[in-house]
Amino acid sequence: MYNSKITGLGFFVPDNIVTNDDLAKMMDTNDAWIQERTGIKERRWIKDKEDTTATMGAKAAKIAIERAGLDKKDIDFIVFATLSPDYFFPGCGVQIQDMLDLPHIGALDVRNQCSGFVYAISVADQFIKTGMYKNILVIGSEYHSNGLDKTTRGRGVSVIFGDGAGAVILSREEDNTKGILSTHLHSQGEYAEKLTVISPSIKHWVPEICANPDDISYYPYMDGQFVFKNAIVRFSEVINEGLKANNLTAKDIDMFIPHQANLRISQFVQKKFGLSDDQVYNNIMYYGNTTAASIAIALTEAWEKGLVKDNDLVVLAAFGSGFTWGSVIIRW
Ligand code: UT7
């Protein structure tokens, strides 16, 4: 059995900054409400369709591959996490194979929303543990802005989400005290419709939507308070599960990188585990919630700033639509 370790990281966000004041020109909202409830000051939204989920993913991936010091032919597999793919099908993974001119390797898409990156890492880790693959490109990318209801009707959801992508290379690690120590995944489909985009779906296809002007099932729906309450419980549970599986405690955590869902959720978890401000990395203030991309972007930024160091215990955790949730315990 091998371990896997992160050997390259990269992220890409669009240049276009959208502030809370910019949103207040589109809908009845204000900077104070958004900052107080979510911590978000601004987010990046793709302008003039300059990018897509796949092109952003490819840009982040290029940086990660370069930083891992790998050649294209060394990549064995692609795992791509997103809830906003370029096409209904096929998934974005195959587009990455083409855009980066990789060999005809396998490409798998993961559909686990805010937990997508944690799930993607877990999948890649299993392929490496079994010895099947040596280097896997894992991407989380999200293009939300084109699908949001930017009117007052949609303000409870649309002020939260941002566009962006992050990528890592997972590579074989022979020392099994290093790298990804364990991953922990969960779901509870009973709450699938608490955070969802209902359609277009095969059971509710485009002509049916167009026939009813009141049908707005193509916009994301979220029962915010319900999601919030579940998030703080599940985040805590799944971090504890990961620590326990490795005979560790909260005191062993050097860096916690939560999915950037809401600054209040991160702060709740920080307090619960007794972590100091420099043991938790948050960047939701500048990028909003980028779902499957958020941990990848935050991890890359933290690493670029020298906040993730050799031998550190790094904990990743996420909760989101599905419901799905999970954690990753890493000895860097
Ligand atoms: O990443 C996946 C997981 N997602 C999450 O974890 C998100 C979890 N939920 C949340 O982060 C929060 O529930 C929100 C930030 C989405 C909302 O915050 P909240 O404190 O739960 O607010 P609320 O939905 O209960 O709304 C409170 C009030 C309402 O007005 P009334 O009924 O009290 O008059 C809303 O209509 O705030 C109003 N409101 C807004 N006002 C200004 C909702 N959205 C806005 C807005 N600007 N953007």
Side-chain angles (χ1 to χ4, degrees), residues 23 27-30 33-34 36-38 113-115 152 154-161 195 222-229 231-232 235 259-265 289-291 294 319-321 323:
L23 294 183
M27 61 188 86
D28 181 12
T29 189
N30 57 78
W33 190 98
I34 300 172
E36 192 189 309
R37 307 275 176 142
T38 71
Q113 303 67 248
C114 301
S115 311
T152 299
R155 65 183 180 174
V157 173
S158 54
V159 301
I160 298 171
F161 292 108
L195 176 46
M222 174 165 71
D223 180 343
Q225 291 202 4
F226 188 79
V227 174
F228 191 101
K229 283 178 195 148
I232 55 178
F235 259 106
H259 161 53
Q260 306 289 298
N262 182 321
L263 192 60
R264 286 160 60 211
I265 295 176
N289 178 345
T290 57
T291 50
S294 91
F319 174 88
S321 159
F323 290 154

Short mmCIF file of all heavy atoms in Angstrom, two decimals, residues 23 27-30 33-34 36-38 113-115 152 154-161 195 222-229 231-232 235 259-265 289-291 294 319-321 323, ligand 1:
data_model
loop_
_atom_site.label_atom_id
_atom_site.label_comp_id
_atom_site.label_asym_id
_atom_site.label_seq_id
_atom_site.Cartn_x
_atom_site.Cartn_y
_atom_site.Cartn_z
N LEU A 23 -23.39 44.46 -6.15
CA LEU A 23 -24.61 43.65 -6.07
C LEU A 23 -25.81 44.49 -5.66
O LEU A 23 -26.94 44.25 -6.13
CB LEU A 23 -24.43 42.50 -5.07
CG LEU A 23 -23.41 41.42 -5.43
CD1 LEU A 23 -23.41 40.32 -4.39
CD2 LEU A 23 -23.70 40.83 -6.80
N MET A 27 -29.82 44.32 -6.95
CA MET A 27 -30.90 43.76 -6.11
C MET A 27 -30.94 44.51 -4.78
O MET A 27 -30.03 45.27 -4.47
CB MET A 27 -30.62 42.27 -5.87
CG MET A 27 -29.32 42.03 -5.14
SD MET A 27 -28.83 40.30 -5.04
CE MET A 27 -27.95 40.06 -6.58
N ASP A 28 -31.99 44.24 -4.02
CA ASP A 28 -32.12 44.89 -2.71
C ASP A 28 -31.25 44.16 -1.69
O ASP A 28 -31.69 43.21 -1.03
CB ASP A 28 -33.60 44.87 -2.29
CG ASP A 28 -33.81 45.56 -0.95
OD1 ASP A 28 -32.88 46.24 -0.47
OD2 ASP A 28 -34.91 45.39 -0.37
N THR A 29 -30.01 44.58 -1.59
CA THR A 29 -29.09 44.02 -0.61
C THR A 29 -28.12 45.13 -0.22
O THR A 29 -28.19 46.24 -0.74
CB THR A 29 -28.35 42.78 -1.16
OG1 THR A 29 -27.64 42.16 -0.09
CG2 THR A 29 -27.36 43.12 -2.27
N ASN A 30 -27.23 44.84 0.71
CA ASN A 30 -26.24 45.86 1.09
C ASN A 30 -25.01 45.20 1.68
O ASN A 30 -25.05 44.06 2.15
CB ASN A 30 -26.88 46.86 2.08
CG ASN A 30 -27.41 46.16 3.30
OD1 ASN A 30 -26.66 45.79 4.19
ND2 ASN A 30 -28.74 45.94 3.34
N TRP A 33 -25.20 43.78 5.36
CA TRP A 33 -25.91 42.49 5.52
C TRP A 33 -24.99 41.35 5.06
O TRP A 33 -24.84 40.34 5.77
CB TRP A 33 -27.21 42.48 4.71
CG TRP A 33 -28.09 41.28 5.03
CD1 TRP A 33 -29.15 41.26 5.89
CD2 TRP A 33 -27.98 39.94 4.51
NE1 TRP A 33 -29.71 40.00 5.94
CE2 TRP A 33 -29.00 39.16 5.10
CE3 TRP A 33 -27.11 39.32 3.61
CZ2 TRP A 33 -29.19 37.81 4.82
CZ3 TRP A 33 -27.30 37.95 3.34
CH2 TRP A 33 -28.32 37.23 3.93
N ILE A 34 -24.42 41.50 3.90
CA ILE A 34 -23.63 40.40 3.33
C ILE A 34 -22.41 40.11 4.21
O ILE A 34 -22.12 38.95 4.54
CB ILE A 34 -23.21 40.69 1.87
CG1 ILE A 34 -24.45 40.90 0.99
CG2 ILE A 34 -22.36 39.56 1.32
CD1 ILE A 34 -24.16 41.38 -0.43
N GLU A 36 -21.95 40.85 7.40
CA GLU A 36 -22.32 40.35 8.73
C GLU A 36 -22.77 38.88 8.69
O GLU A 36 -22.39 38.09 9.54
CB GLU A 36 -23.45 41.23 9.26
CG GLU A 36 -23.74 41.03 10.74
CD GLU A 36 -25.01 41.78 11.13
OE1 GLU A 36 -25.09 42.99 10.81
OE2 GLU A 36 -25.91 41.15 11.70
N ARG A 37 -23.54 38.51 7.67
CA ARG A 37 -24.09 37.14 7.63
C ARG A 37 -23.15 36.13 7.01
O ARG A 37 -23.29 34.93 7.25
CB ARG A 37 -25.39 37.11 6.80
CG ARG A 37 -26.43 38.10 7.21
CD ARG A 37 -27.27 37.58 8.35
NE ARG A 37 -28.19 38.61 8.77
CZ ARG A 37 -29.44 38.39 9.15
NH1 ARG A 37 -29.92 37.17 9.15
NH2 ARG A 37 -30.20 39.39 9.53
N THR A 38 -22.23 36.59 6.15
CA THR A 38 -21.41 35.61 5.41
C THR A 38 -19.91 35.88 5.49
O THR A 38 -19.11 34.98 5.21
CB THR A 38 -21.77 35.62 3.91
OG1 THR A 38 -21.29 36.84 3.32
CG2 THR A 38 -23.26 35.50 3.67
N GLN A 113 -20.85 18.69 -5.33
CA GLN A 113 -21.06 20.07 -4.92
C GLN A 113 -19.97 20.58 -3.98
O GLN A 113 -18.81 20.41 -4.26
CB GLN A 113 -22.47 20.24 -4.35
CG GLN A 113 -23.59 19.85 -5.29
CD GLN A 113 -23.64 18.37 -5.59
OE1 GLN A 113 -23.38 17.99 -6.73
NE2 GLN A 113 -23.96 17.53 -4.63
N CYS A 114 -20.38 21.16 -2.84
CA CYS A 114 -19.38 21.77 -1.94
C CYS A 114 -18.40 20.75 -1.40
O CYS A 114 -17.29 21.09 -1.01
CB CYS A 114 -20.08 22.46 -0.78
SG CYS A 114 -21.19 23.74 -1.34
N SER A 115 -18.80 19.48 -1.35
CA SER A 115 -17.88 18.44 -0.88
C SER A 115 -17.10 17.83 -2.05
O SER A 115 -16.36 16.86 -1.86
CB SER A 115 -18.66 17.32 -0.18
OG SER A 115 -19.54 17.83 0.77
N THR A 152 -33.70 40.65 -6.57
CA THR A 152 -33.98 40.57 -5.12
C THR A 152 -34.53 39.20 -4.75
O THR A 152 -34.21 38.66 -3.68
CB THR A 152 -34.94 41.71 -4.73
OG1 THR A 152 -34.30 42.95 -5.04
CG2 THR A 152 -35.30 41.67 -3.25
N GLY A 154 -33.60 36.37 -5.71
CA GLY A 154 -32.55 35.37 -5.53
C GLY A 154 -31.44 35.79 -4.58
O GLY A 154 -30.43 35.10 -4.47
N ARG A 155 -31.64 36.89 -3.85
CA ARG A 155 -30.52 37.48 -3.09
C ARG A 155 -29.99 36.56 -1.99
O ARG A 155 -28.81 36.64 -1.64
CB ARG A 155 -30.95 38.82 -2.48
CG ARG A 155 -32.04 38.70 -1.44
CD ARG A 155 -32.47 40.05 -0.92
NE ARG A 155 -33.52 39.89 0.08
CZ ARG A 155 -34.04 40.85 0.80
NH1 ARG A 155 -33.63 42.09 0.60
NH2 ARG A 155 -34.96 40.61 1.69
N GLY A 156 -30.85 35.69 -1.43
CA GLY A 156 -30.40 34.80 -0.36
C GLY A 156 -29.36 33.79 -0.81
O GLY A 156 -28.63 33.21 0.00
N VAL A 157 -29.27 33.59 -2.11
CA VAL A 157 -28.31 32.62 -2.67
C VAL A 157 -27.23 33.32 -3.49
O VAL A 157 -26.04 33.05 -3.34
CB VAL A 157 -29.05 31.59 -3.57
CG1 VAL A 157 -28.06 30.69 -4.28
CG2 VAL A 157 -30.03 30.77 -2.75
N SER A 158 -27.65 34.27 -4.33
CA SER A 158 -26.72 34.78 -5.35
C SER A 158 -25.58 35.62 -4.78
O SER A 158 -24.53 35.74 -5.42
CB SER A 158 -27.49 35.57 -6.41
OG SER A 158 -28.26 36.58 -5.80
N VAL A 159 -25.76 36.20 -3.59
CA VAL A 159 -24.68 37.03 -3.04
C VAL A 159 -23.52 36.16 -2.52
O VAL A 159 -22.43 36.66 -2.27
CB VAL A 159 -25.17 37.96 -1.90
CG1 VAL A 159 -26.27 38.89 -2.41
CG2 VAL A 159 -25.66 37.19 -0.67
N ILE A 160 -23.79 34.88 -2.37
CA ILE A 160 -22.80 33.99 -1.73
C ILE A 160 -21.77 33.45 -2.72
O ILE A 160 -20.61 33.28 -2.37
CB ILE A 160 -23.53 32.79 -1.08
CG1 ILE A 160 -24.47 33.28 0.02
CG2 ILE A 160 -22.56 31.78 -0.52
CD1 ILE A 160 -25.38 32.19 0.55
N PHE A 161 -22.23 33.16 -3.95
CA PHE A 161 -21.40 32.33 -4.82
C PHE A 161 -20.45 33.11 -5.74
O PHE A 161 -20.79 34.16 -6.27
CB PHE A 161 -22.28 31.40 -5.64
CG PHE A 161 -22.95 30.36 -4.77
CD1 PHE A 161 -24.30 30.42 -4.50
CD2 PHE A 161 -22.19 29.34 -4.21
CE1 PHE A 161 -24.91 29.47 -3.68
CE2 PHE A 161 -22.78 28.39 -3.38
CZ PHE A 161 -24.15 28.45 -3.12
N LEU A 195 -30.84 22.12 -0.87
CA LEU A 195 -29.86 22.95 -1.59
C LEU A 195 -29.67 22.30 -2.95
O LEU A 195 -29.02 21.26 -3.07
CB LEU A 195 -28.54 23.00 -0.79
CG LEU A 195 -27.34 23.73 -1.40
CD1 LEU A 195 -27.70 25.07 -1.99
CD2 LEU A 195 -26.24 23.91 -0.36
N MET A 222 -31.88 27.30 -1.90
CA MET A 222 -31.25 26.86 -0.65
C MET A 222 -32.11 27.26 0.54
O MET A 222 -32.54 28.41 0.65
CB MET A 222 -29.85 27.51 -0.51
CG MET A 222 -29.20 27.22 0.83
SD MET A 222 -27.44 27.59 0.87
CE MET A 222 -27.45 29.37 0.84
N ASP A 223 -32.32 26.30 1.44
CA ASP A 223 -32.93 26.60 2.74
C ASP A 223 -31.75 26.95 3.65
O ASP A 223 -31.18 26.08 4.33
CB ASP A 223 -33.71 25.37 3.23
CG ASP A 223 -34.38 25.61 4.57
OD1 ASP A 223 -34.00 26.56 5.27
OD2 ASP A 223 -35.27 24.81 4.92
N GLY A 224 -31.36 28.22 3.61
CA GLY A 224 -30.09 28.67 4.21
C GLY A 224 -29.92 28.30 5.67
O GLY A 224 -28.87 27.77 6.06
N GLN A 225 -30.94 28.55 6.47
CA GLN A 225 -30.79 28.29 7.91
C GLN A 225 -30.67 26.80 8.19
O GLN A 225 -29.89 26.39 9.06
CB GLN A 225 -31.97 28.89 8.66
CG GLN A 225 -31.92 30.42 8.62
CD GLN A 225 -32.72 31.04 9.74
OE1 GLN A 225 -33.25 30.37 10.59
NE2 GLN A 225 -32.79 32.37 9.73
N PHE A 226 -31.43 25.99 7.45
CA PHE A 226 -31.37 24.54 7.64
C PHE A 226 -29.98 24.02 7.26
O PHE A 226 -29.39 23.20 7.96
CB PHE A 226 -32.47 23.86 6.82
CG PHE A 226 -32.61 22.39 7.11
CD1 PHE A 226 -33.28 21.97 8.24
CD2 PHE A 226 -32.04 21.45 6.27
CE1 PHE A 226 -33.41 20.61 8.52
CE2 PHE A 226 -32.15 20.09 6.54
CZ PHE A 226 -32.84 19.66 7.67
N VAL A 227 -29.48 24.52 6.13
CA VAL A 227 -28.15 24.10 5.68
C VAL A 227 -27.10 24.52 6.71
O VAL A 227 -26.23 23.73 7.09
CB VAL A 227 -27.82 24.71 4.29
CG1 VAL A 227 -26.39 24.40 3.88
CG2 VAL A 227 -28.79 24.19 3.23
N PHE A 228 -27.22 25.73 7.19
CA PHE A 228 -26.27 26.26 8.18
C PHE A 228 -26.22 25.36 9.43
O PHE A 228 -25.15 24.95 9.88
CB PHE A 228 -26.69 27.68 8.57
CG PHE A 228 -25.66 28.43 9.36
CD1 PHE A 228 -24.84 29.37 8.76
CD2 PHE A 228 -25.50 28.20 10.73
CE1 PHE A 228 -23.89 30.07 9.50
CE2 PHE A 228 -24.55 28.88 11.46
CZ PHE A 228 -23.75 29.82 10.85
N LYS A 229 -27.40 25.03 9.95
CA LYS A 229 -27.46 24.23 11.19
C LYS A 229 -26.84 22.85 10.99
O LYS A 229 -26.14 22.33 11.86
CB LYS A 229 -28.92 24.07 11.64
CG LYS A 229 -29.47 25.33 12.29
CD LYS A 229 -30.93 25.16 12.68
CE LYS A 229 -31.55 26.50 12.98
NZ LYS A 229 -32.98 26.56 12.64
N ALA A 231 -24.63 22.11 8.67
CA ALA A 231 -23.20 22.27 8.36
C ALA A 231 -22.35 22.27 9.63
O ALA A 231 -21.34 21.54 9.71
CB ALA A 231 -22.97 23.55 7.56
N ILE A 232 -22.75 23.03 10.61
CA ILE A 232 -21.88 23.14 11.80
C ILE A 232 -21.79 21.80 12.55
O ILE A 232 -20.74 21.46 13.08
CB ILE A 232 -22.27 24.32 12.72
CG1 ILE A 232 -23.74 24.23 13.13
CG2 ILE A 232 -21.97 25.65 12.07
CD1 ILE A 232 -24.16 25.34 14.09
N PHE A 235 -19.64 19.32 10.01
CA PHE A 235 -18.22 19.72 9.97
C PHE A 235 -17.51 19.15 11.20
O PHE A 235 -16.47 18.50 11.09
CB PHE A 235 -18.10 21.25 10.01
CG PHE A 235 -17.84 21.90 8.68
CD1 PHE A 235 -18.84 22.59 8.00
CD2 PHE A 235 -16.58 21.86 8.09
CE1 PHE A 235 -18.61 23.21 6.78
CE2 PHE A 235 -16.33 22.47 6.88
CZ PHE A 235 -17.35 23.15 6.22
N HIS A 259 -14.04 24.16 3.70
CA HIS A 259 -14.79 24.65 2.55
C HIS A 259 -15.33 26.02 2.91
O HIS A 259 -15.87 26.22 4.00
CB HIS A 259 -15.92 23.68 2.22
CG HIS A 259 -16.98 24.31 1.38
ND1 HIS A 259 -16.69 24.96 0.20
CD2 HIS A 259 -18.33 24.44 1.57
CE1 HIS A 259 -17.82 25.44 -0.30
NE2 HIS A 259 -18.82 25.15 0.51
N GLN A 260 -15.16 26.98 2.00
CA GLN A 260 -15.52 28.37 2.29
C GLN A 260 -17.01 28.59 2.03
O GLN A 260 -17.40 29.15 1.01
CB GLN A 260 -14.66 29.31 1.44
CG GLN A 260 -13.16 29.07 1.58
CD GLN A 260 -12.63 29.50 2.93
OE1 GLN A 260 -12.71 30.68 3.27
NE2 GLN A 260 -12.08 28.58 3.70
N ALA A 261 -17.84 28.12 2.96
CA ALA A 261 -19.30 28.20 2.79
C ALA A 261 -19.83 29.51 3.34
O ALA A 261 -20.69 30.16 2.74
CB ALA A 261 -19.97 27.03 3.48
N ASN A 262 -19.30 29.86 4.52
CA ASN A 262 -19.78 31.04 5.24
C ASN A 262 -18.76 31.26 6.35
O ASN A 262 -18.44 30.32 7.08
CB ASN A 262 -21.18 30.75 5.81
CG ASN A 262 -21.77 31.94 6.53
OD1 ASN A 262 -21.07 32.66 7.23
ND2 ASN A 262 -23.06 32.14 6.37
N LEU A 263 -18.27 32.48 6.49
CA LEU A 263 -17.23 32.75 7.50
C LEU A 263 -17.74 32.39 8.90
O LEU A 263 -16.97 31.93 9.75
CB LEU A 263 -16.81 34.22 7.44
CG LEU A 263 -15.56 34.60 8.24
CD1 LEU A 263 -14.34 33.82 7.77
CD2 LEU A 263 -15.30 36.10 8.14
N ARG A 264 -19.05 32.54 9.11
CA ARG A 264 -19.61 32.22 10.44
C ARG A 264 -19.52 30.72 10.72
O ARG A 264 -19.32 30.31 11.86
CB ARG A 264 -21.07 32.69 10.53
CG ARG A 264 -21.18 34.21 10.66
CD ARG A 264 -22.57 34.68 10.25
NE ARG A 264 -23.62 34.11 11.07
CZ ARG A 264 -24.86 33.86 10.64
NH1 ARG A 264 -25.19 34.12 9.38
NH2 ARG A 264 -25.76 33.35 11.43
N ILE A 265 -19.65 29.90 9.69
CA ILE A 265 -19.51 28.45 9.87
C ILE A 265 -18.06 28.13 10.24
O ILE A 265 -17.79 27.40 11.20
CB ILE A 265 -19.95 27.67 8.60
CG1 ILE A 265 -21.44 27.88 8.34
CG2 ILE A 265 -19.61 26.18 8.73
CD1 ILE A 265 -21.97 27.23 7.06
N ASN A 289 -18.24 31.89 -2.01
CA ASN A 289 -18.28 30.43 -1.94
C ASN A 289 -18.13 29.88 -3.36
O ASN A 289 -19.01 30.07 -4.20
CB ASN A 289 -19.61 30.01 -1.31
CG ASN A 289 -19.82 28.51 -1.23
OD1 ASN A 289 -19.11 27.74 -1.87
ND2 ASN A 289 -20.80 28.10 -0.45
N THR A 290 -17.03 29.21 -3.62
CA THR A 290 -16.78 28.66 -4.96
C THR A 290 -16.98 27.14 -4.97
O THR A 290 -16.38 26.43 -5.78
CB THR A 290 -15.36 29.02 -5.46
OG1 THR A 290 -14.40 28.54 -4.51
CG2 THR A 290 -15.19 30.52 -5.62
N THR A 291 -17.82 26.66 -4.09
CA THR A 291 -18.18 25.22 -3.94
C THR A 291 -16.99 24.28 -4.16
O THR A 291 -16.07 24.28 -3.37
CB THR A 291 -19.42 24.85 -4.79
OG1 THR A 291 -19.25 25.30 -6.10
CG2 THR A 291 -20.67 25.47 -4.23
N SER A 294 -13.47 25.67 -3.72
CA SER A 294 -13.08 26.54 -2.60
C SER A 294 -11.91 26.01 -1.78
O SER A 294 -10.99 26.75 -1.45
CB SER A 294 -14.30 26.86 -1.72
OG SER A 294 -14.45 25.93 -0.69
N PHE A 319 -18.89 20.58 3.70
CA PHE A 319 -20.29 20.17 3.82
C PHE A 319 -21.07 20.90 2.74
O PHE A 319 -20.80 22.07 2.47
CB PHE A 319 -20.86 20.56 5.20
CG PHE A 319 -22.33 20.29 5.31
CD1 PHE A 319 -22.78 19.04 5.73
CD2 PHE A 319 -23.27 21.25 4.96
CE1 PHE A 319 -24.14 18.77 5.80
CE2 PHE A 319 -24.64 20.98 5.03
CZ PHE A 319 -25.07 19.73 5.46
N GLY A 320 -22.05 20.23 2.16
CA GLY A 320 -22.86 20.94 1.18
C GLY A 320 -23.99 20.12 0.62
O GLY A 320 -24.39 19.11 1.20
N SER A 321 -24.46 20.59 -0.52
CA SER A 321 -25.63 20.00 -1.18
C SER A 321 -25.50 18.49 -1.30
O SER A 321 -24.43 17.95 -1.57
CB SER A 321 -25.78 20.64 -2.56
OG SER A 321 -26.53 19.82 -3.40
N PHE A 323 -27.49 16.07 1.16
CA PHE A 323 -26.29 16.63 1.76
C PHE A 323 -25.12 15.67 1.57
O PHE A 323 -25.31 14.46 1.63
CB PHE A 323 -26.47 16.91 3.24
CG PHE A 323 -27.40 18.03 3.58
CD1 PHE A 323 -28.06 18.07 4.79
CD2 PHE A 323 -27.62 19.07 2.70
CE1 PHE A 323 -28.91 19.12 5.12
CE2 PHE A 323 -28.46 20.12 3.02
CZ PHE A 323 -29.11 20.14 4.23
O1 UT7 B 1 -21.63 25.83 0.56
C1 UT7 B 1 -22.72 24.96 0.71
C2 UT7 B 1 -23.32 25.08 2.01
N1 UT7 B 1 -23.97 26.37 2.15
C3 UT7 B 1 -24.00 26.92 3.33
O2 UT7 B 1 -23.42 26.40 4.24
C4 UT7 B 1 -24.84 28.16 3.52
C5 UT7 B 1 -25.50 28.10 4.85
N2 UT7 B 1 -26.42 29.20 5.10
C6 UT7 B 1 -26.02 30.47 5.22
O3 UT7 B 1 -24.86 30.75 5.05
C7 UT7 B 1 -27.04 31.50 5.63
O4 UT7 B 1 -28.26 30.87 5.94
C8 UT7 B 1 -27.26 32.63 4.57
C9 UT7 B 1 -26.04 33.50 4.49
C10 UT7 B 1 -27.57 31.99 3.24
C11 UT7 B 1 -28.44 33.49 4.96
O5 UT7 B 1 -28.23 34.05 6.24
P1 UT7 B 1 -29.36 33.95 7.37
O6 UT7 B 1 -28.81 34.62 8.53
O7 UT7 B 1 -29.75 32.50 7.50
O8 UT7 B 1 -30.53 34.81 6.76
P2 UT7 B 1 -32.03 34.38 6.37
O9 UT7 B 1 -32.06 33.57 5.13
O10 UT7 B 1 -32.71 33.84 7.59
O11 UT7 B 1 -32.67 35.80 6.05
C12 UT7 B 1 -32.81 36.80 7.06
C13 UT7 B 1 -33.41 38.02 6.43
C14 UT7 B 1 -34.69 37.76 5.64
O12 UT7 B 1 -35.54 38.86 5.78
P3 UT7 B 1 -36.76 38.82 6.84
O13 UT7 B 1 -37.62 37.67 6.42
O14 UT7 B 1 -36.12 38.62 8.17
O15 UT7 B 1 -37.38 40.15 6.66
C15 UT7 B 1 -34.20 37.70 4.21
O16 UT7 B 1 -35.20 38.03 3.28
O17 UT7 B 1 -32.47 38.61 5.50
C16 UT7 B 1 -33.11 38.74 4.21
N3 UT7 B 1 -32.09 38.53 3.19
C17 UT7 B 1 -31.30 39.51 2.73
N4 UT7 B 1 -31.24 40.83 3.01
C18 UT7 B 1 -30.31 41.55 2.36
C19 UT7 B 1 -31.75 37.36 2.58
N5 UT7 B 1 -30.75 37.59 1.73
C20 UT7 B 1 -30.45 38.90 1.80
C21 UT7 B 1 -29.52 39.71 1.15
N6 UT7 B 1 -29.46 41.02 1.46
N7 UT7 B 1 -28.64 39.23 0.25
#
